[in-house]
Amino acid sequence: MANLKSLAKDTALYGVSSIVGRFLNYFLVPLYTAVLPAATGGYGVVSNVYAYTALILVLLTFGMETGFFRFANKSEENPKQVYANAILFVGSLCVCFVFLGFLFLPQISSVLAYPDHPDYVGMMILVVALDSFQCIPYAYLRYKKRPLKFVFIKMFNIVGNICLNLFFLLLCPFLYKVAPHAISWFYNPDYLVGYIFVSNLIMCVIQMFFFIPELRGFTYRVDKALMKRMLSYSFPILVFGVVGILNQTIDKIIYPFLFDNRQEGLVQLGIYSAASKVAMIMAVFTQAFRYAYEPFVFGKNKEGDGSGMYAGAMKYFFIFSLLAFLTVMFYMDILRYMVAPDYWEGLNVVAIVMGAEILKGIYFNLSFWYKLTDETRWGAYFSLIGCLVLLVLNIWLVPLYGYVASAWAAVSGYGVITFLSYVIGQKKYPIRYPLKDMAVYLLLAAVLFIAGEAITIHNLWVRLAFRTVLLFLFVFYLVKKDLPLRNIPLINRFLH
């Protein structure tokens, strides 16, 4: 229990930057959807470009985050040398990527269907290179258990990016109307989408200065034997990382090419992406859990068998994922205002997208059996299968049914690989997950969700009150069954 409390504490700390940070970033969604109307496809452009950067980020980090944790926690390895190897390898990849990217910028822009805006592509080349390099110092902070600095840098970057977006998308248009001569020397009112990328680039550059202490204090020297072992371990992680990110972004990448009219594809992509943002609380929770869980798992593995801890972590992750799902769905009448009204037609995919995110989180929990046994090739197999399912369903069904098909394709892809990982994992690294307890929670959540959706209440406030009661029923069962109040120190002291 003490170890699970430590995991919960770290998850909460990392969650400040991930959950609160993403929550703050959500304020940009109504801004983007307000200044970029759905019919223009502007938000579709933003989603499309960021989908490419997410894929390239995985390629450039090369699985070295997980590889760093694995080898830094081996007693026979020098953690600083492991860190140096990771820094030098990822840094070299990023430098080569930037050089080649700018050398062939016109050609790349044409291939990505942005021949009129190579500036968009150029800015994102720099952004993704900086983000990729910074992943390693971020991992080092997690390894050294310095969540406060981790949180500070993340929050500074997020708040700074929000401020710059507000400056370029709200303040500058206002000033251009009342005093155009004051800002016309640097501001173009027709460049709205571009300023989103400008803001991101500025903050990425500033963020680098915070990592200066993490880039000093060790020798920049490649240990060839260690590097070979690290690359051998990390390459399969790269493969399933690439395929895994394709599972998240392939629809956004191929959308403009699935329609005869590219503009129509961008419009649908913008609506789908904006609506999916409402469901991203699940992705935020999964990310916060991941930040704490990777070093926790590899650290526990050094101490011996930690299967009981892994089973407990899976159970509580699943429970709180269901709680997050119910919260979002029950308060959709409020959360819909995260996006402009002309994007509301896409809100019917929120429940489906959240279901896909839950499956992704379960798969992440299951994935540690092949990481701990150094059989990471299995992750590559699973990811390739999931990506194939996702790609085929998108190409086949999106032209017929639009973005709803993308949401169901994600559920199908993650469902298949979750099932495969569980079945094979129980043979390779058996863990007795509390499946019966998890099934009861799933059934309870399903009954409450159906009740909340099926019972028609026209008055908004009465409807919200009724759904709040349903949500409290879930929480009541959780407290009674698995989270007794007496086990929470603060409440226990109050009760006594």
Side-chain angles (χ1 to χ4, degrees), residues 291-356:
Y291 281 147
Y293 199 46
E294 274 191 325
F296 169 81
V297 166
F298 288 122
K300 281 297 296 177
N301 193 54
K302 287 200 304 184
E303 301 173 11
D305 181 28
S307 58
M309 293 297 110
Y310 308 149
M314 168 70 88
K315 176 181 176 179
Y316 285 106
F317 171 84
F318 185 68
I319 291 171
F320 284 100
S321 293
L322 292 176
L323 180 60
F325 174 85
L326 291 175
T327 301
V328 171
M329 298 312 302
F330 284 168
Y331 296 106
M332 185 60 64
D333 291 313
I334 297 173
L335 294 175
R336 69 174 59 213
Y337 290 100
M338 286 177 55
V339 298
D342 54 339
Y343 288 83
W344 284 2
E345 65 179 81
L347 293 177
N348 60 324
V349 303
V350 171
I352 308 171
V353 172
M354 291 195 75

Side-chain angles (χ1 to χ4, degrees), residues 126-194:
L126 291 173
V127 166
V128 75
L130 289 168
D131 276 347
S132 300
F133 179 77
Q134 291 164 6
C135 282
I136 305 304
Y138 269 129
Y140 190 68
L141 289 175
R142 290 159 58 198
Y143 169 75
K144 298 296 288 185
K145 296 190 182 299
R146 298 188 61 192
L148 293 181
K149 181 170 183 178
F150 182 102
V151 168
F152 171 79
I153 299 174
K154 285 282 188 181
M155 291 300 296
F156 178 85
N157 183 55
I158 291 166
V159 173
N161 188 51
I162 291 172
C163 291
L164 287 172
N165 273 273
L166 292 173
F167 173 74
F168 285 120
L169 301 182
L170 284 186
L171 182 59
C172 284
F174 171 77
L175 293 176
Y176 192 80
K177 290 180 180 179
V178 298
H181 58 280
I183 63 170
S184 58
W185 60 278
F186 73 88
Y187 177 73
N188 178 358
D190 298 322
Y191 196 63
L192 292 178
V193 171

Side-chain angles (χ1 to χ4, degrees), residues 246-259:
L246 281 174
N247 287 336
Q248 301 175 47
T249 62
I250 189 65
D251 49 358
K252 299 175 181 63
I253 290 174
I254 66 176
Y255 241 87
F257 304 102
L258 294 179
F259 296 84

Side-chain angles (χ1 to χ4, degrees), residues 224-389:
K224 293 182 180 179
L226 174 60
M227 180 69 81
K228 184 178 179 180
R229 294 196 300 273
M230 291 178 68
L231 291 178
S232 176
Y233 178 86
S234 297
F235 181 72
I237 295 176
L238 164 68
V239 174
F240 67 72
V242 168
V243 183
I245 201 66
L246 281 174
N247 287 336
Q248 301 175 47
T249 62
I250 189 65
D251 49 358
K252 299 175 181 63
I253 290 174
I254 66 176
Y255 241 87
F257 304 102
L258 294 179
F259 296 84
D260 294 332
N261 184 341
R262 173 180 167 81
Q263 182 62 23
E264 173 61 21
L266 290 173
V267 169
Q268 284 215 28
L269 175 56
I271 295 172
Y272 175 48
S273 299
S276 297
K277 290 293 185 182
V278 180
M280 285 301 101
I281 187 174
M282 193 65 67
V284 171
F285 174 69
T286 302
Q287 182 72 359
F289 186 83
R290 175 180 176 271
Y291 281 147
Y293 199 46
E294 274 191 325
F296 169 81
V297 166
F298 288 122
K300 281 297 296 177
N301 193 54
K302 287 200 304 184
E303 301 173 11
D305 181 28
S307 58
M309 293 297 110
Y310 308 149
M314 168 70 88
K315 176 181 176 179
Y316 285 106
F317 171 84
F318 185 68
I319 291 171
F320 284 100
S321 293
L322 292 176
L323 180 60
F325 174 85
L326 291 175
T327 301
V328 171
M329 298 312 302
F330 284 168
Y331 296 106
M332 185 60 64
D333 291 313
I334 297 173
L335 294 175
R336 69 174 59 213
Y337 290 100
M338 286 177 55
V339 298
D342 54 339
Y343 288 83
W344 284 2
E345 65 179 81
L347 293 177
N348 60 324
V349 303
V350 171
I352 308 171
V353 172
M354 291 195 75
E357 288 295 333
I358 292 175
L359 286 171
K360 183 171 73 173
I362 294 173
Y363 173 70
F364 172 77
N365 278 270
L366 293 172
S367 70
F368 276 92
W369 71 261
Y370 54 75
K371 294 178 182 178
L372 291 171
T373 58
D374 290 346
E375 296 188 61
T376 50
R377 67 182 186 280
W378 284 102
Y381 300 154
F382 298 147
S383 297
L384 286 169
I385 292 170
C387 185
L388 182 62
V389 171

Side-chain angles (χ1 to χ4, degrees), residues 255 257-259 268 393-403 405:
Y255 241 87
F257 304 102
L258 294 179
F259 296 84
Q268 284 215 28
L393 291 179
N394 269 280
I395 294 174
W396 176 29
L397 298 175
V398 166
L400 298 175
Y401 302 104
Y403 48 77

Side-chain angles (χ1 to χ4, degrees), residues 444-455:
L444 175 61
V447 170
L448 294 175
F449 172 66
I450 293 172
E453 293 293 318
I455 298 176

